[in-house]
Amino acid sequence: YRVILARTGAEALDVLMAPEPIDLLFTDVVMPGGMSGLDLARESRRLRPGLPILATSGHMGEREGELADTPFLPKPYARAELARAVRR
């Protein structure tokens, strides 16, 4: 897979606004920079409807319900688990 790294939600939005094709958004729920991965997922759906999203976190707590329509991979995970989730 070719990966485009974004360190913050704002960087990820810049990537999503560019014309380059993106096949999957893989985001941690907790990110630096003031935007959560859940916020990023919502905004990415606005910018690129139909873009598949995979979220991950080690501590969702009561926010887990906010991922109702987003596939979720709990941390910690093995490489094989990540690979299966990405293929799905």
Side-chain angles (χ1 to χ4, degrees):
Y1 300 105
R2 182 170 168 264
V3 175
I4 302 170
L5 177 67
R7 289 175 176 35
T8 66
E11 285 182 22
L13 288 177
D14 287 342
V15 171
L16 291 169
M17 286 190 266
E20 186 169 2
I22 305 288
D23 297 314
L24 172 71
L25 171 65
F26 179 49
T27 184
D28 200 318
V29 172
V30 178
M31 299 189 315
M35 176 183 280
S36 76
L38 299 174
D39 296 331
L40 175 60
R42 280 189 284 275
E43 187 63 17
S44 70
R45 286 190 176 112
R46 187 184 70 73
L47 293 171
R48 292 188 181 221
L51 175 68
I53 299 169
L54 174 61
T56 189
S57 181
H59 40 78
M60 277 295 292
E62 69 271 0
R63 297 191 75 181
E64 199 165 331
E66 295 180 56
L67 288 170
D69 60 345
T70 303
F72 181 71
L73 180 64
K75 288 182 181 179
Y77 52 81
R79 284 184 182 176
E81 292 172 299
L82 174 59
R84 277 191 298 275
V86 167
R87 282 192 302 270
R88 269 187 255 134

